[in-house]
Amino acid sequence: MSANTPAAAPAKSKKMLIIIIIGVVVAVLVIGGGAAAWFISSRSHADEEDGAAPVRKEAPKVAPTFLPMENMVVNLADPGGDRFAQIGITLELEDAKTAEQVKLYLPSIRSGILMLVSQRTSTELLQREGKEKLAADILREVSRPLGYTVPTERARAAAADKEEDAEDRPSRRRTERNPVHRVLFSSFIIQ
């Protein structure tokens, strides 16, 4: 008997049929996957063009300039006068030009900061709120020689109340952005 008998023909056609089915399934999966990828990518591009994409915070156009100041040692206003603070301050400024302007007034700024810190007690400065208030006061002290005013907490609250009352009137006063962004403490030791 030879291998080409009538019983071998159906087995060969079954193998061929299985290979064709597998080929069709693979082709459908490849085409379907490609269509899904195309659909998803075209949909995300359409969302970006429509502005529906999530808003990303833009990176600052110019990196800020940091101006470290020399550490200061100050007697605190505690009873008995035996407590003192050693404070390291770094100023975050808009640019190098502002850093040069601050350097011109540095002796006056340091004196003002020393006066501010010497009015505080150790109890006040050991708390986060006390440090934050001191940073706001130092920001005001650094901004003053440059011609900028930073409102106190009370003044900001009063201004917010006035804005609520005068919501209908357009504001005529334009304020420029302060080039002194933040006061950062690089060290803060109380003894």
Side-chain angles (χ1 to χ4, degrees):
M1 271 187 127
S2 76
N4 290 337
T5 62
K12 193 173 186 182
S13 66
K14 276 188 178 181
K15 283 184 181 180
M16 195 62 143
L17 184 62
I18 291 174
I19 291 173
I20 291 173
I21 291 174
I22 290 174
V24 169
V25 169
V26 169
V28 168
L29 288 175
V30 168
I31 292 171
W38 174 81
F39 178 74
I40 290 171
S41 69
S42 66
R43 188 171 185 193
S44 68
H45 288 303
D47 286 348
E48 288 176 3
E49 290 172 3
D50 292 341
V55 178
R56 294 182 189 132
K57 187 175 180 181
E58 289 185 30
K61 294 179 183 175
V62 178
T65 300
F66 294 97
L67 178 64
M69 297 176 65
E70 291 180 29
N71 285 354
M72 295 180 236
V73 179
V74 184
N75 288 329
L76 297 175
D78 285 334
D82 58 345
R83 305 288 307 257
F84 64 91
Q86 178 184 352
I87 301 174
I89 297 172
T90 300
L91 302 174
E92 182 181 328
L93 307 170
E94 190 167 318
D95 53 20
K97 181 181 175 187
T98 304
E100 293 304 316
Q101 288 177 330
V102 169
K103 286 178 185 177
L104 294 174
Y105 295 102
L106 210 49
S108 171
I109 291 170
R110 281 181 56 85
S111 176
I113 292 171
L114 289 170
M115 298 297 279
L116 285 172
V117 177
S118 69
Q119 297 171 353
R120 304 300 203 286
T121 63
S122 61
T123 307
E124 182 181 352
L125 293 178
L126 286 171
Q127 297 179 4
R128 180 182 178 98
E129 293 83 23
K131 289 180 181 84
E132 289 172 350
K133 185 177 182 311
L134 178 63
D137 291 344
I138 292 171
L139 179 66
R140 199 171 11 271
E141 194 66 34
V142 172
S143 300
R144 187 177 302 141
L146 301 177
Y148 294 91
T149 57
V150 177
T152 62
E153 198 64 38
R154 287 183 200 160
R156 271 186 264 171
D161 290 342
K162 284 182 183 179
E163 284 180 16
E164 289 175 6
D165 294 339
E167 232 174 63
D168 298 331
R169 287 185 285 150
S171 176
R172 292 184 187 177
R173 190 171 20 155
R174 181 181 161 262
T175 57
E176 293 181 22
R177 185 167 182 234
N178 189 347
V180 182
H181 294 182
R182 292 191 306 170
V183 173
L184 306 167
F185 293 114
S186 54
S187 68
F188 208 107
I189 301 169
I190 296 177
Q191 293 183 341

